[in-house]
Amino acid sequence: MVLEATMICIDNSEWMRNGDYSPSRFQAQADAVNLICGAKTQSNPENTVGVLTMAGKGVRVLVTPTSDLGKILACMHGLEIGGDMNLAAGIQVAQLALKHRQNKKQQQRIIVFAGSPVKHEKKVLEMIGRKLKKNSVALDIVNFGEEDEGKTEKLEALLAAVNNNDTSHIVHVPAGTNALSDVLISTPIFTGNGEGGSGFAAAAAAAAAGGVSGFEFGVDPNLDPELALALRVSMEEERARQEAAAKKAAEEASKQEKGGEQQASSQDATMTERASASASEAETKTNDMMDDENALLQQALAMSMDDPAINQEAKDTDMSEAASDDPELALALQLSVADSSKDSSSQSDMSKLLADQSFVSSILASLPGVDPNDPSVKDLLASMQNQSEQKNDDKKPPSEEEKK
Amino acid sequence: MSGESASAIQKGQVDLLDFIDWSGVECLNQSSTHSLPNALKQGYREDDGLHLDSDADEQLLLYIPFTQVIKLHSILVKGPEEEGPKTVKLFSNKEHMGFSNVNDYPPSDMAVLTPDNLKGKPVLVKYVKFQNVRSLTIFIEDNQTGSEITQVQKIMLYGSTVETTDMKGLKKIEDH
């Protein structure tokens, strides 16, 4: 995903008429250029690519660095073969074109297709390489076509002069049945310094291997880049939405349980509906969760009933849990109990309702995660019947808990 | 203008290190192992073993933007006797210069460093030309002995600030 401006230097000299790469050297080169442009623009939408020809009447810039893929592909049409390649001038013009790129934050890169023999001296090439390095321009060389004596040596020397921290590469492609583009796909020129081949490169490789349009979503990004992009974006959105929905469902599950407990304390009739609705989710909870819920449930029940005895009882049964988990919580409960013990207002209706054990037990049974046979729940129910006797224990438990 | 810091040499001038916008600092033709932070950053620059080296040839082009507008009073360039820089050209407020266009503009100031300077004597710049500096470009043209590589151990900039708002420090007022 490096932000890059790339200039591609095409060799359109007479040497490109040869058919040792199918269908012809020039055609293979053109295909490779198309693929590279696509890969660059897809790896980072702000990347720009430009094209120039090195042979013909002279070095000619066909398109200055742009992110518009259509423009680049259009200019590849109607290119004529002829003349002799001028490597040095080509690279220098490419460097100049990059210097005047619009977005100065882009890294500079030149990709050279060297198909014909190199007539420059090694020294000249090394000087050019040094100049590129000085201006932090990376260089990729594709050595194909003519195998001239000294050509490989000169190009390797050029690479050595330019290379700064392995940002520049050279690829030698011998003639054969493999298409030029196929060989290039696996090279760092395509995959960009081993950042991980873009999805495009992988898809293109699959297509080449399968021979069928194995592109993502069955749409050729070359033919219809906008459609391919839209499909890809919607796929990502869908994935993100599913993840968010999954997260939300998990959150809601935990929320529902808490909601179930609060409903019980306020004795709302609709609580049973809620409970049944969340019962399916609750069934999957572990036993640990159930214990915690019991403790919380009892506290909630006890506090809403505003009966100090019950509070004490509830606190006695699960004080060990609460105290070990949260001493601050225990202290707070203590204080609230101390306060409420002064209040003598009792909700007679509520307590009568709660005193009806069968009603309470039926409600408790329908609550998620509450087992009526649980000892602590049974204690609670028992305590509700012995309210008056428990009031005498008010003074004792607080002192007990303080010692804990 | 903040008060004197321990490293200020002239009265009222501050070390401008705190006002450098590190995200935009660039250096052309630096070696990858010996890079610009070695010469600029607090701690690194004090260590003479850590220095900035040039790569392909002896020239270096440094671009230092600031977080606010400053006035530049003097600069201090420390380097080894032989490979230390000699001709230093300063350009103020010129963005993204390259080696090809350094000679297109006249520099705001130019200094030829003597061995005294390389030992730690600061160079006073033409203060009037650096009253309103947003970014500084330092072009090191050659070194003392003409060797292949130029080495710089420390670069310090002295000056003062102009009262400007640092946009990053502006905080949105929360609605209550």
Side-chain angles (χ1 to χ4, degrees), chain A residues 99 130 133-135 165, chain B residues 29 55 57 59 99-100:
Chain A
K99 194 171 101 153
R130 265 201 300 267
K133 183 152 89 150
K134 203 171 152 184
N135 287 291
N165 255 1
Chain B
N29 199 29
D55 198 3
D57 62 10
Q59 294 185 341
F99 287 104
S100 43

Side-chain angles (χ1 to χ4, degrees), chain A residues 11-51:
Chain A
D11 181 2
N12 59 335
S13 61
E14 291 282 354
W15 301 90
M16 293 299 110
R17 285 191 202 277
N18 197 328
D20 51 0
Y21 296 80
S22 60
S24 77
R25 284 182 186 171
F26 183 71
Q27 209 34 56
Q29 208 188 167
D31 291 339
V33 170
N34 290 343
L35 274 175
I36 291 178
C37 293
K40 293 281 177 198
T41 43
Q42 281 208 356
S43 78
N44 186 335
E46 284 191 53
N47 279 351
T48 57
V49 181
V51 177

Side-chain angles (χ1 to χ4, degrees), chain A residues 37-93:
Chain A
C37 293
K40 293 281 177 198
T41 43
Q42 281 208 356
S43 78
N44 186 335
E46 284 191 53
N47 279 351
T48 57
V49 181
V51 177
L52 62 78
T53 52
M54 293 190 284
K57 287 213 184 82
V59 175
R60 192 160 70 98
V61 175
L62 298 174
V63 58
T64 55
T66 172
S67 51
D68 184 358
L69 196 60
K71 219 174 179 191
I72 300 166
L73 299 176
C75 82
M76 294 294 293
H77 271 312
L79 273 183
E80 303 214 331
I81 298 180
D84 234 345
M85 171 179 87
N86 186 346
L87 185 64
I91 295 179
Q92 283 169 329
V93 172

Side-chain angles (χ1 to χ4, degrees), chain B residues 149-170:
Chain B
I149 297 199
T150 303
Q151 278 186 2
V152 181
Q153 283 161 344
K154 180 153 111 176
I155 295 180
M156 282 177 79
L157 305 168
Y158 295 105
S160 51
T161 59
V162 174
E163 287 301 317
T164 46
T165 320
D166 179 15
M167 293 310 287
K168 292 196 185 77
L170 277 181

Side-chain angles (χ1 to χ4, degrees), chain A residues 85-154:
Chain A
M85 171 179 87
N86 186 346
L87 185 64
I91 295 179
Q92 283 169 329
V93 172
Q95 193 187 349
L96 195 64
L98 285 173
K99 194 171 101 153
H100 293 288
R101 64 196 185 284
Q102 286 205 318
N103 182 359
K104 300 288 178 188
K105 289 212 196 295
Q106 290 167 326
Q107 303 278 329
Q108 305 174 66
R109 182 174 289 274
I110 300 177
I111 303 181
V112 173
F113 283 86
S116 36
V118 176
K119 59 181 189 271
H120 302 281
E121 292 294 324
K122 198 154 89 156
K123 284 239 176 330
V124 172
L125 292 177
E126 278 177 357
M127 246 175 47
I128 292 175
R130 265 201 300 267
K131 208 165 146 228
L132 288 177
K133 183 152 89 150
K134 203 171 152 184
N135 287 291
S136 69
V137 180
L139 179 67
D140 290 336
I141 307 173
V142 181
N143 180 12
F144 71 110
E146 285 302 307
E147 232 335 291
D148 195 14
E149 81 276 353
K151 180 185 177 199
T152 310
E153 205 191 311
K154 287 178 187 172

